[in-house]
Amino acid sequence: EAQVTQNPRYLITVTGKKLTVTCSQNMNHEYMSWYRQDPGLGLRQIYYSMNVEVTDKGDVPEGYKVSRKEKRNFPLILESPSPNQTSLYFCASSLRAPTSGGNYNEQFFGPGTRLTVL
Amino acid sequence: AQSVSQHNHHVILSEAASLELGCNYSYGGTVNLFWYVQYPGQHLQLLLKYFSGDPLVKGIKGFEAEFIKSKFSFNLRKPSVQWSDTAEYFCAVNARGATNKLIFGTGTLLAVQP
């Protein structure tokens, strides 16, 4: 089954304790992206990756890191989490960038990771 | 910078009522427009999209949206909602040529009462 998986689905942690949220897709997609969803703010892009070893900042990258060593995986790293990073996080992937080639490249979203930083 | 406004944050309707959710964007150039839906506990799914052509686009589950360029709007409509339409709805904009970026609105939470 074609899907985007995220782990963990729920995480409660404390300020300053490094954590990684994994994202994996099995569709051989080039493009992957991380969003955070907050009430009243919608989805905001954190980082995206156009392909292996190519990553770039989105709109709210502060406090986050990513890596893209393999095509299928795009982990989100919080080196020193803070309470303002409490949020719902979504990973997404698509064959290419969302509107590459003038067409819509369907975005497949993961199930979300609810993170609470105390 | 591009931005997307969804003025209705919470909407409560009875079944069979008609729905219209507002979406306005700020960007002077050509755009691609999207509506996504997030059912409770599920991930985002595409409802419909507009790239070019007929400004009235039809999506899945009886939804449609109309692009009005002069008003920078892309409102979502459904003539008769069902309880199963209870979800959060997000409008998104992509500036033509900025292939990597979708800008999402803040979302509208729709509750349909049986």
Side-chain angles (χ1 to χ4, degrees), chain A residues 11-17 19 78 80-87 115-118:
Chain A
L11 179 61
I12 301 174
T13 189
V14 294
T15 298
K17 186 176 180 183
L19 68 92
L78 284 74
S80 183
S82 62
N84 65 11
Q85 292 177 299
T86 292
S87 187
L115 172 66
T116 302
V117 184
L118 301 174

Short mmCIF file of all heavy atoms in Angstrom, two decimals, chain A residues 11-17 19 78 80-87 115-118:
data_model
loop_
_atom_site.label_atom_id
_atom_site.label_comp_id
_atom_site.label_asym_id
_atom_site.label_seq_id
_atom_site.Cartn_x
_atom_site.Cartn_y
_atom_site.Cartn_z
N LEU A 11 3.97 11.95 21.22
CA LEU A 11 5.19 12.05 22.03
C LEU A 11 5.06 13.19 23.01
O LEU A 11 4.70 14.31 22.64
CB LEU A 11 6.40 12.28 21.12
CG LEU A 11 7.75 12.43 21.82
CD1 LEU A 11 8.09 11.17 22.61
CD2 LEU A 11 8.85 12.73 20.80
N ILE A 12 5.33 12.88 24.26
CA ILE A 12 5.43 13.90 25.31
C ILE A 12 6.86 13.89 25.79
O ILE A 12 7.39 12.83 26.15
CB ILE A 12 4.46 13.61 26.47
CG1 ILE A 12 3.01 13.57 25.97
CG2 ILE A 12 4.62 14.68 27.57
CD1 ILE A 12 2.01 13.15 27.04
N THR A 13 7.50 15.04 25.78
CA THR A 13 8.89 15.12 26.18
C THR A 13 9.11 16.38 27.02
O THR A 13 8.17 17.13 27.29
CB THR A 13 9.81 15.11 24.94
OG1 THR A 13 11.16 14.97 25.36
CG2 THR A 13 9.65 16.40 24.15
N VAL A 14 10.35 16.58 27.40
CA VAL A 14 10.67 17.74 28.22
C VAL A 14 11.60 18.68 27.47
O VAL A 14 12.32 18.26 26.55
CB VAL A 14 11.31 17.32 29.56
CG1 VAL A 14 10.29 16.55 30.41
CG2 VAL A 14 12.57 16.51 29.35
N THR A 15 11.62 19.90 27.89
CA THR A 15 12.45 20.91 27.26
C THR A 15 13.91 20.47 27.22
O THR A 15 14.46 20.00 28.22
CB THR A 15 12.34 22.23 28.04
OG1 THR A 15 10.98 22.67 27.99
CG2 THR A 15 13.24 23.30 27.44
N GLY A 16 14.50 20.60 26.04
CA GLY A 16 15.92 20.35 25.89
C GLY A 16 16.32 18.92 25.55
O GLY A 16 17.49 18.67 25.24
N LYS A 17 15.40 18.01 25.56
CA LYS A 17 15.74 16.61 25.28
C LYS A 17 15.59 16.33 23.79
O LYS A 17 14.46 16.27 23.26
CB LYS A 17 14.85 15.68 26.10
CG LYS A 17 15.23 14.23 26.00
CD LYS A 17 14.38 13.37 26.91
CE LYS A 17 14.78 11.90 26.79
NZ LYS A 17 13.92 11.04 27.61
N LEU A 19 15.06 15.04 20.16
CA LEU A 19 14.17 14.02 19.63
C LEU A 19 14.17 14.04 18.11
O LEU A 19 14.50 15.04 17.47
CB LEU A 19 12.75 14.21 20.19
CG LEU A 19 11.99 15.44 19.74
CD1 LEU A 19 11.15 15.15 18.51
CD2 LEU A 19 11.07 15.95 20.86
N LEU A 78 14.62 17.71 16.38
CA LEU A 78 14.55 18.85 17.29
C LEU A 78 15.70 18.68 18.28
O LEU A 78 15.65 17.84 19.16
CB LEU A 78 13.20 18.89 18.02
CG LEU A 78 11.99 19.37 17.22
CD1 LEU A 78 11.53 18.30 16.21
CD2 LEU A 78 10.84 19.74 18.13
N SER A 80 16.94 20.73 20.59
CA SER A 80 16.65 21.18 21.95
C SER A 80 15.21 21.70 21.99
O SER A 80 14.97 22.91 21.93
CB SER A 80 17.63 22.27 22.37
OG SER A 80 17.39 22.67 23.71
N PRO A 81 14.26 20.78 22.10
CA PRO A 81 12.85 21.18 22.00
C PRO A 81 12.45 22.18 23.07
O PRO A 81 12.96 22.14 24.21
CB PRO A 81 12.10 19.86 22.18
CG PRO A 81 13.09 18.79 21.90
CD PRO A 81 14.42 19.34 22.28
N SER A 82 11.54 23.06 22.70
CA SER A 82 11.00 24.03 23.64
C SER A 82 9.47 23.96 23.59
O SER A 82 8.91 23.45 22.62
CB SER A 82 11.48 25.44 23.29
OG SER A 82 11.01 25.79 22.02
N PRO A 83 8.79 24.45 24.61
CA PRO A 83 7.33 24.36 24.64
C PRO A 83 6.64 24.97 23.43
O PRO A 83 5.56 24.50 23.04
CB PRO A 83 6.98 25.11 25.93
CG PRO A 83 8.15 24.90 26.82
CD PRO A 83 9.34 24.96 25.90
N ASN A 84 7.24 25.97 22.80
CA ASN A 84 6.58 26.55 21.62
C ASN A 84 6.66 25.65 20.39
O ASN A 84 6.12 26.00 19.32
CB ASN A 84 7.11 27.95 21.31
CG ASN A 84 8.56 27.96 20.91
OD1 ASN A 84 9.15 26.91 20.64
ND2 ASN A 84 9.16 29.14 20.85
N GLN A 85 7.29 24.51 20.55
CA GLN A 85 7.29 23.52 19.47
C GLN A 85 6.24 22.44 19.70
O GLN A 85 6.15 21.47 18.92
CB GLN A 85 8.68 22.90 19.31
CG GLN A 85 9.69 23.91 18.78
CD GLN A 85 11.09 23.35 18.68
OE1 GLN A 85 11.69 22.94 19.68
NE2 GLN A 85 11.61 23.31 17.46
N THR A 86 5.45 22.60 20.74
CA THR A 86 4.28 21.73 20.93
C THR A 86 3.33 21.97 19.76
O THR A 86 2.91 23.09 19.52
CB THR A 86 3.59 22.07 22.26
OG1 THR A 86 4.45 21.69 23.33
CG2 THR A 86 2.25 21.34 22.39
N SER A 87 3.04 20.90 19.03
CA SER A 87 2.26 21.07 17.81
C SER A 87 1.92 19.71 17.23
O SER A 87 2.34 18.67 17.73
CB SER A 87 3.09 21.88 16.79
OG SER A 87 2.31 22.21 15.65
N LEU A 115 3.09 16.26 19.16
CA LEU A 115 4.22 16.46 20.07
C LEU A 115 3.86 17.47 21.15
O LEU A 115 3.35 18.55 20.87
CB LEU A 115 5.44 16.97 19.29
CG LEU A 115 6.64 17.40 20.13
CD1 LEU A 115 7.25 16.20 20.86
CD2 LEU A 115 7.68 18.09 19.25
N THR A 116 4.13 17.08 22.39
CA THR A 116 3.98 17.99 23.53
C THR A 116 5.33 18.14 24.21
O THR A 116 5.95 17.13 24.57
CB THR A 116 2.96 17.47 24.54
OG1 THR A 116 1.70 17.28 23.89
CG2 THR A 116 2.80 18.43 25.70
N VAL A 117 5.78 19.38 24.34
CA VAL A 117 7.05 19.66 25.03
C VAL A 117 6.73 20.39 26.33
O VAL A 117 6.17 21.48 26.32
CB VAL A 117 7.98 20.52 24.16
CG1 VAL A 117 9.32 20.71 24.88
CG2 VAL A 117 8.20 19.89 22.80
N LEU A 118 7.10 19.76 27.44
CA LEU A 118 6.78 20.32 28.76
C LEU A 118 7.91 21.21 29.28
O LEU A 118 9.06 21.02 28.89
CB LEU A 118 6.52 19.19 29.75
CG LEU A 118 5.36 18.25 29.34
CD1 LEU A 118 5.29 17.08 30.31
CD2 LEU A 118 4.05 19.02 29.35
#
